[in-house]
Amino acid sequence: MSFDLVVRGGTLPDGRVADIGIRGTKIAALGDLAGAEAGETVEAAGDLVSPPFVDPHFHMDATLSYGLPRLNASGTLLEGIALWGELKAVMTHEEVRDRALVYCDWAASMGLLAIRSHVDTCDDRLLGVEALLDVREKVKDYIDLQLVAFPQDGVFRDPTAWGNTLRALDRGVDVVGGIPHFERTMAEGARSVTALCELAAGRGLMVDMHCDETDDPMSRHVETLAHEVNRLGLHGRAAGSHLTSMHSMDNYYVSKLLPLMAEAGLAAIPNPLINIVLQGRHDSFPKRRGLTRVKEMRAQGITVGWGQDCVRDPWYSLGTADMLDVAFMGLHVAQMTHPDEMRACFDMVTTENAKILNLEGYGLEPGCTASLVVLDAGDPVEALRLRPDRLAVIARGKVISRQARNDPRLTIDGRPGRIRRRHAAGGNLG
Ligand code: FE2
């Protein structure tokens, strides 16, 4: 047997230890491949080998713009939206493209190889759309970039948003987005959900709406979204992002809502870094967390994936493109600390998110696309605890990023020691 590339002795997320044989862009064999010839070898030596990280919710048109044209003084969602409007008026295609490409290097170095990014369609020039279409093409050999047509200022509230959203979809944007809680009234919000779901169904596209990103327990657009997804047969092809109002909803109402979401096959995408920062800003004490009901959804069989949302932009000043940071925050805020729950949190930034994006060929089995990441950790829970270095990242059969293992010369009080340093931002694509 011979392979182009063999990853030797990795520990898979389910605990199996196996070699992975790669031919071309596909995984050709999984098991004991001792004696097989390999054009190139990656020694995993017991380290965790995972399919790549997947981010189901991001804003690549805004990323790495922190401080432009000014800081978000109040730290709120609404000032962030206003600030983004100021930046949109002055940004250029090249700036958006270049910031996004830097971010894609960060992502690739972290083993984050599939990203669903919303792109603002409330712009008559469609500048962000054109820039991210450009980026999608440039990174296609190592990152699956799925774009969502996102009318940030409201598809009905903004006078040209509907037409611009249609134009963005005509240009090749993949998914239909929306923001019902930002429309002028609850009724307009509900009407926008119906119109956008019908648009998606008519074009055979997926749906992913920013939905009820508020502390208002009466923001119930998720109910309309579940109903329309069910009515239009969009099962397994629709997601509600954020759903933070569910944190504050009446428990009896939620006991009816969760089965409706499950019946519709509607996925949920909480974004814990952002939700914990932006929600509860109008509260005194006790102050609500604002994260949606993750454990309760999972118990109903609803697919839930952790999203990142923002990195260094008008809404969030930090971020590293590390989906383990996202899962780490999520498991704390959702109190998912049992080992089974922590393993689920790892799945929620890998396999569950791949399901939400409907990625083809995702996984480590023979026949899957040969994209994977080797982490300096022994298992998924240790990976969450350490958020460790990514020793190797392979995209479509090619090693695109490598990092040396921790410096063995380190000593602590005269003993050999190990540090768990973090990856330097910026990537090292070869
Ligand atoms: Fe978002």
Side-chain angles (χ1 to χ4, degrees), residues 57-114:
H57 189 114
F58 196 61
H59 294 264
M60 206 177 278
D61 48 358
T63 196
L64 305 187
S65 68
Y66 180 64
L68 297 175
R70 60 179 176 83
L71 291 174
N72 182 340
S74 67
T76 59
L77 171 68
L78 294 180
E79 184 174 346
I81 293 174
L83 207 167
W84 168 239
E86 294 171 33
L87 179 59
K88 254 195 316 191
V90 297
M91 68 190 190
T92 68
H93 179 105
E94 291 71 25
E95 285 167 1
V96 175
R97 180 197 63 202
D98 292 349
R99 284 199 300 264
L101 287 172
V102 170
Y103 180 79
C104 285
D105 269 11
W106 291 21
S109 73
M110 289 297 192
L112 169 54
L113 301 184

Side-chain angles (χ1 to χ4, degrees), residues 57 59 210 242 309:
H57 189 114
H59 294 264
H210 284 67
H242 294 296
D309 205 4

Side-chain angles (χ1 to χ4, degrees), residues 256-267:
K256 179 190 171 203
L257 176 61
L258 290 175
L260 287 177
M261 293 172 66
E263 180 188 16
L266 177 68

Side-chain angles (χ1 to χ4, degrees), residues 174-195:
D174 308 277
V175 181
V176 176
I179 185 165
H181 56 276
F182 199 69
E183 302 291 351
R184 286 192 176 86
T185 64
M186 288 291 175
E188 282 285 274
R191 197 164 71 83
S192 79
V193 171
T194 298

Side-chain angles (χ1 to χ4, degrees), residues 374-390:
V374 182
L375 297 104
D376 192 7
D379 59 57
V381 172
E382 193 179 41
L384 283 163
R385 185 172 68 83
L386 300 173
R387 280 93 68 218
D389 291 339
R390 315 300 132 100

